[in-house]
Amino acid sequence: MAISDQTIARINELTEIEEVVSDYVTLKRKGQNLWANCPFHEEKTPSFSVAPSKGIYKCFGCGKAGDAISFIREYEGLGYIEAIKLLANKYGVEIEEDQKASPEEIQEKNQKESLLIALKYAGGYFQKLLWESEEGQAIGYSYFRERGFNDKIVKKFELGYALDRWDGLLKEAVANGYNPDILEKSGLIIRKEEKEYDRFRGRVIFPVHNLSGRVIAFGARILKKDNKQPKYINSPETEVYEKSKVLYGLHLAKQSIRQNNNCYLVEGYTDVISLHLSGVENVVASSGTSLTVEHIKQISRFTENLTVLFDGDEAGIKASLRGIDMILEQGLNVRACVFPDGEDPDSYARKLGRSDFQQYLDTHTVDFIRFKTDLFTRNAKDDPIKKAESIREIISSISYISDPIKRAIYLRECSNQLQMDENTLYAQLNSIIRERSKKPKERGNYREEQVAEPELAEMLEESKLSEYQIISLQEKESIRLLLNYSLNVIEEEYKLYEFMLNELEDLEFQTPIFAQILTIFKEKLEQDQVKQKHYCKSLSI
Ligand SMILES: [Zn+2]
């Protein structure tokens, strides 16, 4: 289904950029333009401007610019069509579609909408019970208070309570005109042997929202001691809830993720809420399932930096490491922060209080590969077999990083940290990659090459170098890689020098000596004189 040109023209005609932007940020007039603190990067003085006469915005801090539609796409993380629909809704334009939707499509759309309406109703019902029923107050509300949740946060996350009864929601919803079929399809009630009953009973309720903030599912925690029932249950998958695609808290986190250019990943609903209480809002959790590639893709729409918060127990950390390889494979920069033994983000945030907790995050977050290297080598120091295993583990993680330059940087660091010859590590890396490429791809093919820029830029930024020095360092690193590893196979038949020369094609080196070396290297390559040899271990130019 495509939106008709007339509809798009009508929306463009009505749309005023300042009206759209001021739905999200407060604009102040200065001269011809309007100004605000940029919603896309952290800043204290406004460098984000809107030019109503031209219908565009531009940030002089981070460079983001565009028209009303691109503003909405950027801010809400929406596609073009979705952004048009949002504007159509704002300006009351009815959307005409070019092709008539098939009856099946209309039916599917209507059904999804019915599910969402029922879920919204249920969310309101659970909230009402929390605040207004005796049971909800005595059990549900007092549990939230015990956890340190204040009224504001309970309302922000729309937390609720389900009565300990078989037909609380069922009766109420049917009395209000909801069709039991829809209630069943939305996962709210269960049908078994001609009986119908509530799925959520005697539990506190955590609604799960989609990106635009509509309720699509529920998580629920039991409070009374009952060993026959699981502590947490979740809505089943429905037409509007695909567990593998939904991250808990993302609708509240997206703006903060963008501003901080980082996303914290935690395990549970209460971890997310506790972090919000501590003033950390760029946080999400996978809801009712372990982390998937789809989850990571959702996050990467907003940032390429992910920080995983680990509970302080080593067995637990090791169990969740596999999931992280998947994040590396998606090209994100991963950092890790571990809490002291016996603490999780929720408990520790409560213990430390707002400013100490934020400081803890800032000071204890480390690069993931470095973190993993530490973790595995700590116990393996004097044990050669354990050490070998550790190295394999670490190199295996590095092998998931799809950017060859990033991989090379990590290998060098590991070789320092582990006191191992860099070339031995390279051999190991190549054999892992080769091994994996023989196996059928389990999780689809997503070896998109990415540029190492962000990681490198950040490392260099910390060292307070001038732009010229940075460029020079980058050139030096390129030369170092070329001279040492040009014939290493980085993927399938593809050699490192092929990749690098391709990347460097349009670039002119600014440091004369490196430019000269590169020229000589290319000449030697043409004469087939480049050997599998390490021409220099470190460049001390
Ligand atoms: Zn900006």
Side-chain angles (χ1 to χ4, degrees):
M1 278 186 289
I3 296 173
S4 74
D5 292 347
Q6 293 93 314
T7 305
I8 292 176
R10 178 93 187 105
I11 290 166
N12 278 330
E13 201 180 292
L14 289 169
T15 299
E16 303 281 357
I17 180 97
E18 67 268 38
E19 275 179 12
V20 172
V21 173
S22 55
D23 282 348
Y24 303 91
V25 294
T26 312
L27 290 166
K28 287 210 180 84
R29 187 170 285 280
K30 222 184 337 170
Q32 288 210 325
N33 296 338
L34 300 148
W35 296 81
N37 284 346
C38 179
F40 304 124
H41 83 279
E42 193 74 57
E43 65 176 1
K44 299 225 165 60
T45 52
S47 54
F48 177 87
S49 72
V50 171
S53 58
K54 296 182 194 135
I56 55 164
Y57 67 93
K58 177 166 175 64
C59 172
F60 293 93
C62 64
K64 293 259 156 71
D67 60 8
I69 292 169
S70 54
F71 181 85
I72 286 176
R73 293 187 60 179
E74 184 73 30
Y75 192 97
E76 297 275 359
L78 296 176
Y80 180 74
I81 302 283
E82 291 166 298
I84 291 279
K85 284 186 179 162
L86 193 147
L87 281 175
N89 197 16
K90 178 178 165 67
Y91 288 104
V93 175
E94 202 170 320
I95 293 183
E96 295 165 27
E97 267 142 9
D98 263 351
Q99 288 146 341
K100 279 262 174 280
S102 69
E104 289 83 9
E105 278 173 323
I106 292 173
Q107 203 190 359
E108 194 192 311
K109 203 172 140 199
N110 289 344
Q111 168 133 324
K112 274 190 182 170
E113 197 53 38
S114 316
L115 297 193
L116 289 170
I117 291 167
L119 287 157
K120 184 182 176 192
Y121 170 79
Y125 167 80
F126 293 137
Q127 281 190 78
K128 192 163 177 254
L129 288 175
L130 180 80
W131 292 100
E132 291 173 16
S133 79
E134 219 171 283
E135 190 184 324
Q137 282 283 297
I139 302 173
Y141 183 73
S142 56
Y143 166 76
F144 289 138
R145 294 302 305 204
E146 266 167 50
R147 294 209 78 110
F149 294 0
N150 57 33
D151 288 4
K152 207 174 140 197
I153 208 87
V154 171
K155 284 181 180 150
K156 184 176 181 184
F157 283 87
E158 300 168 24
L159 306 180
Y161 182 77
L163 296 176
D164 194 6
R165 214 187 286 172
W166 291 94
D167 60 358
L169 173 68
L170 179 62
K171 255 194 184 155
E172 191 82 10
V174 170
N176 278 284
Y178 288 89
N179 179 338
D181 277 347
I182 294 294
L183 297 174
E184 201 245 335
K185 286 195 172 110
S186 56
L188 291 164
I189 67 166
I190 296 173
R191 268 191 189 143
K192 224 185 238 170
E193 294 156 14
E194 319 247 316
K195 280 192 191 116
E196 291 171 337
Y197 55 92
D198 286 8
R199 180 179 300 272
F200 304 108
R201 304 177 305 276
R203 288 169 180 267
V204 283
I205 297 283
F206 299 85
V208 178
H209 299 80
N210 65 11
L211 210 52
S212 45
R214 299 184 77 176
V215 177
I216 50 173
F218 297 98
R221 186 193 199 279
I222 201 161
L223 298 175
K224 64 175 180 191
K225 284 231 158 31
D226 183 344
N227 294 335
K228 274 176 269 159
Q229 291 200 52
K231 193 156 104 177
Y232 277 97
I233 58 171
N234 294 287
S235 296
E237 295 236 324
T238 64
E239 278 174 63
V240 295
Y241 179 47
E242 278 181 82
K243 289 182 191 194
S244 63
K245 288 188 181 163
V246 177
L247 286 161
Y248 181 70
L250 187 57
H251 70 297
L252 295 173
K254 56 189 180 187
Q255 193 191 348
S256 175
I257 292 173
R258 248 201 215 106
Q259 281 176 346
N260 292 286
N261 194 14
N262 180 38
C263 176
Y264 288 108
L265 179 69
V266 292
E267 254 177 36
Y269 304 126
T270 54
D271 294 325
V272 171
I273 300 171
S274 287
L275 259 71
H276 270 257
L277 270 175
S278 303
V280 177
E281 299 191 341
N282 47 333
V283 57
V284 299
S286 59
S287 89
T289 172
S290 52
L291 202 66
T292 67
V293 170
E294 289 298 331
H295 288 140
I296 300 163
K297 285 192 172 150
Q298 292 275 327
I299 295 170
S300 63
R301 288 164 72 180
F302 301 98
T303 182
E304 70 254 6
N305 299 304
L306 184 72
T307 305
V308 186
L309 302 186
F310 288 105
D311 299 358
D313 109 90
E314 206 166 300
I317 294 173
K318 284 191 172 163
S320 43
L321 289 179
R322 289 278 161 243
I324 313 251
D325 287 342
M326 193 168 66
I327 309 176
L328 292 170
E329 198 171 10
Q330 291 298 304
L332 272 74
N333 304 312
V334 187
R335 291 181 186 79
C337 181
V338 182
F339 296 101
D341 212 358
E343 302 281 1
D344 55 42
D346 177 16
S347 67
Y348 209 52
R350 268 182 287 153
K351 196 179 215 170
L352 285 191
R354 212 177 161 108
S355 70
D356 283 355
F357 182 72
Q358 288 189 13
Q359 203 190 347
Y360 184 89
L361 288 183
D362 291 341
T363 50
H364 287 75
T365 296
V366 294
D367 176 81
F368 174 71
I369 298 288
R370 221 167 294 163
F371 162 78
K372 191 170 173 182
T373 313
D374 272 346
L375 182 73
F376 275 89
T377 45
R378 213 178 301 145
N379 307 322
K381 260 199 189 112
D382 305 312
D383 182 340
I385 296 175
K386 264 194 187 165
K387 190 171 177 189
E389 270 169 25
S390 308
I391 290 167
R392 259 193 294 279
E393 264 295 329
I394 296 154
I395 302 297
S396 160
S397 277
I398 295 178
S399 74
Y400 280 103
I401 299 171
S402 46
D403 177 350
I405 297 182
K406 249 195 236 178
R407 282 205 303 250
I409 293 170
Y410 275 120
L411 267 196
R412 175 151 72 141
E413 261 194 39
C414 279
S415 114
N416 290 336
Q417 217 173 334
L418 299 163
Q419 308 209 307
M420 288 283 296
D421 174 39
E422 196 173 348
N423 200 38
T424 314
L425 299 183
Y426 246 112
Q428 176 93 42
L429 177 72
N430 284 333
S431 93
I432 291 175
I433 293 174
R434 228 174 293 130
E435 201 60 33
R436 194 175 301 136
S437 70
K438 278 187 212 149
K439 285 186 199 157
K441 295 247 161 91
E442 295 146 38
R443 280 173 276 142
N445 186 11
Y446 22 78
R447 284 216 158 265
E448 297 154 50
E449 296 295 351
Q450 305 227 354
V451 195
E453 287 306 317
E455 185 81 23
L456 205 57
E458 199 176 312
M459 283 164 59
L460 293 164
E461 195 178 16
E462 277 168 24
S463 60
K464 305 254 176 304
L465 296 165
S466 75
E467 201 181 332
Y468 179 76
Q469 283 171 307
I470 290 175
I471 289 169
S472 173
L473 271 175
Q474 285 172 329
E475 291 172 358
K476 180 171 164 182
E477 181 63 12
S478 307
I479 294 290
R480 195 188 71 87
L481 291 171
L482 275 179
L483 292 187
N484 285 326
Y485 307 111
S486 50
L487 298 181
N488 279 37
V489 175
I490 52 174
E491 203 176 321
E492 322 266 311
E493 300 281 280
Y494 207 32
K495 298 204 173 80
L496 182 91
Y497 81 85
E498 293 173 294
F499 172 80
M500 291 204 55
L501 292 184
N502 196 19
E503 291 282 300
L504 298 172
E505 199 178 46
D506 305 325
L507 279 175
E508 203 169 310
F509 274 16
Q510 297 187 15
T511 322
I513 180 77
F514 297 138
Q516 212 178 335
I517 298 176
L518 186 63
T519 312
I520 297 171
F521 180 84
K522 285 180 183 164
E523 282 168 18
K524 297 278 174 205
L525 199 65
E526 259 170 40
Q527 299 155 8
D528 206 15
Q529 283 182 15
V530 174
K531 300 273 171 330
Q532 179 71 302
K533 197 152 85 179
H534 307 292
Y535 291 97
C536 63
K537 267 279 127 190
S538 69
L539 280 179
S540 49
I541 304 161

